[in-house]
Amino acid sequence: MNSNHAVELNLTKLPPYQPRTFVPENIDLTDKDQVLGLLQKLLDRTINSSEELERWLMDMSEFDAAFGQVYSVLHIRMTCQTDDEARATAFRNFVENVVPAVKPIGDQINRKYLKERERFPLDENRYRVYDRATRADVELFREENVPLQTQESLLSQEYQTVCGAMTVEFQGKELTLPQMAKFLVEPDRPLRESAWKATTKRRLQDKDRLEEIFDKMVDLRVQIAANAGFDNYMQYKFKDYHRFDYTPDDCKRYHETVEKRVVPVYREILEKRRQQMNLDKLRPWDLSVDPQGRPPLKPFETVDQLIAGVEKMFTNMDPNLGGQFRMMADTGLLDLASRKGKAPGGYQSTLSEIRKPFIFMNAVGLNKDLFTLLHEGGHAFHSLACAADPLHAYRHAPMEFCEVASMGMELLSHDQLDVFYNPQEKQRTLFEHFEDVIHILPWVATIDSFQHWVYENPKHTREQRAEKWLEI
């Protein structure tokens, strides 16, 4: 799977989207003093007109993009190889020393903007959303929360490091947990069971450590919310995420609706699966395999084959999409293969100064890997479609809407699946994908409902947390 080496992210091949006009070319944005000196210039600048306010805002946006890209690069490099101490240290130093120093002066800059905004009018239609978000950020900021948020970021890094180190000795080989997933689609049921149990046993070896990280995170988040004057972290986070258009109660109505309308459909799917497999009861290792006993779909053997095939799919949909994806492949903006030390999961991250997307995932040759890349490709195209907006804050959408691009791309790609599959295989993967669409709705509601309970009941014990998870 071409999985031995982590991406280096050589940005010399990727020049800025446009020349800088405010941020010095030779500045070191990992140096706290240099960063604070530049922000102080923004804070001290005198503004005498609407035109000067808008120019000031564009300079701040240029800084936000350059600074945000430094964070993204450090985070990407760390997650691509969590056991590389140099990468881990570079990310940790930035999170511990630079980001906390920037937050207080960033709050002062937000306050300056809102004050000047009252003096000098700007286009209301253009800046209404930005103004609303900035006011929310000012209302939330508490200096005493800065060190707590730093601890929270470091705990997240620790979690990724723990998970990235998980491997299983299976059939004489050391395999990552994503690589173990290949066995769960094999028709041999005893093989699936042994693979599932080996993976679960490995996860449970770090159970106490992960529980400890979770406990610390909950405590930190409860304190952060209390410092900001909220009854619980759920309320705090809704405002922090700029969720102005729906409430926690709306989420709970979603949970109830999914339970009433979608869960029965998903249960029908599972019952049909049980009957097709002629089993008395479905077990966890029975949920990914083909219920008719057919061999697993294997759309590709190597990452290069995956990239070439997906590029062809995107090109067939629209040559511009194919060209954008090829640009990412050619410039080192893809790290797709699973390997030891790599953080779990998949994500798309935007390098905000060059205005280019990066895709991270753990491919092992499965059908779900193909759909993961299509999904992250949707995010990437969304990012590229927003690249021309001069305001950094407007070059990304709220996380909920971002999923329209990614989930939409999965569905838009259906007609192109014959790049990887013959007609029978294509029909099979389409059927599986529509079943997955039904499954994802209760899964999202499950995770969300659990999070609501955790932060509405912050004094819970580990045992109560486990019981609640099983109940939900």
Side-chain angles (χ1 to χ4, degrees):
M1 295 295 297
N2 304 340
S3 60
N4 293 329
H5 303 290
V7 71
E8 289 298 330
L9 265 187
N10 181 6
L11 296 184
T12 59
K13 295 193 295 184
L14 297 161
Y17 182 85
Q18 60 190 29
R20 293 176 176 177
T21 59
F22 170 67
V23 178
E25 290 293 342
N26 62 347
I27 192 172
D28 180 1
L29 293 174
T30 66
D31 183 298
K32 178 178 67 176
D33 293 336
Q34 293 184 52
V35 171
L36 293 180
L38 188 61
L39 288 174
Q40 192 64 46
K41 290 181 180 180
L42 276 176
L43 193 59
D44 293 342
R45 187 187 301 178
T46 300
I47 298 171
N48 296 306
S49 67
S50 296
E51 292 75 20
E52 289 184 7
L53 174 58
E54 196 158 32
R55 178 67 261 166
W56 179 89
L57 189 57
M58 290 303 102
D59 287 346
M60 185 172 69
S61 182
E62 182 181 292
F63 167 82
D64 287 342
F67 187 76
Q69 179 166 294
V70 170
Y71 176 90
S72 294
V73 169
L74 292 170
H75 179 261
I76 288 167
R77 296 186 79 248
M78 181 272 293
T79 55
C80 285
Q81 206 61 48
T82 61
D83 53 2
D84 184 321
E85 188 53 39
R87 295 180 181 215
T89 299
F91 178 75
R92 190 164 52 245
N93 286 343
F94 192 77
V95 168
E96 284 185 310
N97 299 315
V98 185
V99 173
V102 165
K103 286 183 177 180
I105 194 169
D107 176 64
Q108 295 177 54
I109 287 172
N110 281 341
R111 293 175 187 272
K112 177 184 177 73
Y113 169 74
L114 293 175
K115 182 179 179 181
E116 300 294 351
R117 185 75 170 82
E118 292 178 358
R119 296 174 60 208
F120 303 111
L122 296 176
D123 184 335
E124 186 66 26
N125 286 331
R126 168 69 174 159
Y127 290 104
R128 181 175 64 250
V129 171
Y130 182 80
D131 293 349
R132 181 178 66 175
T134 304
R135 282 192 292 270
D137 291 342
V138 167
E139 291 167 5
L140 283 179
F141 181 78
R142 300 292 187 277
E143 191 151 3
E144 60 267 33
N145 278 341
V146 172
L148 303 183
Q149 291 162 340
T150 300
Q151 293 178 49
E152 183 184 21
S153 295
L154 294 174
L155 285 171
S156 178
Q157 180 188 7
E158 182 182 351
Y159 168 82
Q160 291 171 325
T161 301
V162 172
C163 292
M166 290 183 183
T167 61
V168 175
E169 288 289 336
F170 195 74
Q171 293 189 336
K173 297 179 180 179
E174 184 183 29
L175 300 174
T176 66
L177 300 199
Q179 288 167 345
M180 289 295 292
K182 291 193 294 184
F183 297 104
L184 298 182
V185 295
E186 291 294 334
D188 184 339
R189 195 180 191 219
L191 174 63
R192 296 198 309 272
E193 180 178 356
S194 61
W196 187 90
K197 289 183 175 179
T199 300
T200 302
K201 181 179 179 180
R202 178 61 189 89
R203 290 186 191 277
L204 290 174
Q205 287 179 19
D206 286 315
K207 176 181 182 294
D208 290 339
R209 188 174 177 190
L210 294 176
E211 292 274 24
E212 183 180 350
I213 292 172
F214 197 101
D215 288 338
K216 289 179 179 178
M217 275 191 157
V218 171
D219 290 342
L220 283 171
R221 290 169 173 175
V222 168
Q223 189 60 54
I224 288 169
N227 289 347
F230 289 85
D231 292 336
N232 61 58
Y233 183 73
M234 185 64 63
Q235 295 172 352
Y236 169 89
K237 205 60 185 174
F238 261 68
K239 192 164 190 174
D240 184 45
Y241 278 149
H242 299 159
R243 289 174 174 167
F244 302 110
D245 303 308
Y246 69 101
T247 68
D249 284 341
D250 290 323
C251 290
K252 291 177 180 179
R253 282 192 288 274
Y254 168 75
H255 306 158
E256 293 166 0
T257 301
V258 167
E259 185 172 17
K260 182 178 180 181
R261 301 292 187 184
V262 184
V263 169
V265 177
Y266 185 56
R267 284 183 174 149
E268 290 179 14
I269 291 171
L270 293 179
E271 174 57 20
K272 181 179 178 181
R273 167 176 284 269
R274 185 194 67 78
Q275 292 175 7
Q276 287 177 312
M277 297 179 72
N278 196 28
L279 298 173
D280 292 333
K281 181 180 289 188
L282 288 175
R283 306 299 293 168
W285 47 87
D286 298 322
L287 301 180
S288 300
V289 68
D290 180 74
Q292 298 180 39
R294 292 170 292 190
L297 293 166
K298 295 182 178 179
F300 61 95
E301 292 290 338
T302 69
V303 163
D304 288 343
Q305 291 172 351
L306 173 62
I307 292 172
V310 169
E311 179 189 352
K312 186 175 181 180
M313 290 179 69
F314 287 146
T315 300
N316 290 345
M317 294 172 66
D318 186 302
N320 289 328
L321 298 183
Q324 290 173 349
F325 186 75
R326 172 45 53 187
M327 174 275 298
M328 296 178 65
D330 289 344
T331 51
L333 295 175
L334 304 174
D335 190 330
L336 307 185
S338 178
R339 62 179 166 270
K340 184 179 180 180
K342 191 174 184 180
Y347 64 77
Q348 180 267 318
S349 179
T350 298
L351 301 167
S352 49
E353 185 173 27
I354 64 173
R355 306 190 195 182
K356 296 286 193 298
F358 177 89
I359 293 178
F360 168 104
M361 57 179 283
N362 281 272
V364 295
L366 299 175
N367 180 59
K368 72 173 185 177
D369 297 330
L370 170 58
F371 277 93
T372 296
L373 186 52
L374 295 171
H375 178 104
E376 302 303 341
H379 285 307
F381 298 140
H382 193 185
S383 172
L384 289 165
C386 299
D389 198 297
L391 190 61
H392 173 255
Y394 280 2
R395 293 201 291 270
H396 60 85
M399 64 172 64
E400 300 87 346
F401 189 80
C402 287
E403 296 310 310
V404 174
S406 56
M407 304 298 283
M409 182 55 69
E410 293 183 35
L411 296 169
L412 289 169
S413 300
H414 277 182
D415 287 346
Q416 309 304 328
L417 287 169
D418 48 12
V419 169
F420 286 94
Y421 295 124
N422 63 37
Q424 293 76 26
E425 291 170 332
K426 180 179 176 180
Q427 285 303 114
R428 178 177 159 190
T429 192
L430 287 175
F431 194 83
E432 289 182 7
H433 189 231
F434 284 126
E435 286 191 342
D436 286 342
V437 170
I438 299 298
H439 169 251
I440 196 68
L441 295 172
W443 181 242
V444 168
T446 297
I447 299 294
D448 195 50
S449 179
F450 182 66
Q451 288 181 321
H452 278 254
W453 180 86
V454 165
Y455 295 112
E456 289 172 349
N457 301 273
K459 300 296 185 182
H460 65 264
T461 64
R462 292 181 186 181
E463 292 74 19
Q464 289 171 328
R465 187 162 67 218
E467 289 172 5
K468 190 64 181 180
W469 171 254
L470 294 174
E471 175 190 326
I472 294 172

